[in-house]
Amino acid sequence: MEMTAVPAHAQDPSLLPDLPSPASAAVFWTRGPEALCGELQCGLDGLGSADAARRLERFGLNGDAAAHAAGALRAVLRRLLEPLCQSCSASG
C-alpha cells in the first residue's frame, strides 16, 4: 500500500486560501495578467522554487482524482443512458 502525505489543508481547513467569488471567477479572461497574478499571488514568470515548495506543502500535489475501474457491463449501461443514445433509441 502506497502512503502519501496528507496536505496541511486536509488537517486544518482554515489553511485553505480565500477563493474568488463565482462572479469574479467566471470572468477571469476579462482581467489583465497583472491582476490575475496578483490574485493568485504569483509573478508573470510563475512561481519561484521556494513558493512552489510552500504551496506543495500547504496544498499537496496537483493532480486529477484517481480513476476507478468500471466493469464492461457498467460501461455499456452508462453509454446506453446517455442523452444522445436515448434520443436515437426513441426516434428509431
Side-chain angles (χ1 to χ4, degrees), residues 4 12 26 30 37 53 55 84 89:
T4 57
D12 183 1
T30 63
C37 286
R55 289 183 187 207
L84 181 60
S89 297

Side-chain angles (χ1 to χ4, degrees), residues 77-91:
L77 288 174
R78 188 174 60 242
R79 296 297 184 275
L80 290 173
L81 294 174
E82 290 177 352
L84 181 60
C85 187
Q86 294 286 316
S87 64
C88 289
S89 297
S91 66

Side-chain angles (χ1 to χ4, degrees), residues 55-66:
R55 289 183 187 207
L56 178 61
E57 174 65 28
R58 182 173 178 188
F59 302 113
L61 294 174
N62 185 15
D64 293 333

Side-chain angles (χ1 to χ4, degrees), residues 1-24:
M1 175 183 277
E2 181 180 324
M3 298 296 290
T4 57
V6 177
H9 66 80
Q11 297 168 1
D12 183 1
S14 68
L15 295 175
L16 288 171
D18 293 329
L19 298 174
S21 67
S24 66

